[in-house]
Each structure stands twice: as structure tokens, then as C-alpha cells.
Amino acid sequence: MNTFTTIGYNSQGHAVEHETQNDSWVATETCLAMSEQYGYAETLDLWGRHCGDYGDRPVALGQRVY
């Protein structure tokens, strides 16, 4: 079973909310909703690998390395 954690960030790059899901589609929908609410959100898997993001990544978070 996969586990996905979605984190919503404000424009200063501070984590505002996070949610964990076991379903990738629900995690994607959660990521989109958080980005609309906070400005940026990203989803990571159980091992911290990037699974997706929405919104404008705050400069304070730096550039994502894939």
C-alpha cells in the first residue's frame, strides 16, 4: 500500500496544513484543493519522493531537485 502526504504552504514557504492519504487520486485532489487555498501544495510519497505539486512554489522553499 502506498502512502502519500500532501503539504500546503503559504506564500512565505511555511507549511500550513498536511494530510496523509492511501489513495493517489485523493492525494492529487487534496493537493489541488490546498494549492487553491494556500497558494502552493506538494505531494510526497512515503520515502519523501516528489509525486506532484500545484500552485506557485515559494522562493523560500528553493528549487525542487528531481
Side-chain angles (χ1 to χ4, degrees), residues 4-61:
F4 303 94
T5 300
T6 303
I7 307 165
Y9 294 92
N10 64 18
S11 60
Q12 288 80 37
H14 297 115
V16 180
E17 182 179 354
H18 74 277
E19 189 172 318
T20 302
Q21 299 289 333
N22 291 324
D23 182 290
S24 64
W25 183 249
V26 174
T28 299
E29 290 177 332
T30 300
C31 189
L32 178 58
M34 283 188 188
S35 74
E36 291 172 345
Q37 184 173 4
Y38 301 116
Y40 177 73
E42 69 178 337
T43 300
L44 307 172
D45 68 7
L46 187 60
W47 298 274
R49 294 180 297 207
H50 179 78
C51 293
D53 62 348
Y54 285 102
D56 296 319
R57 186 173 176 86
V59 175
L61 294 177

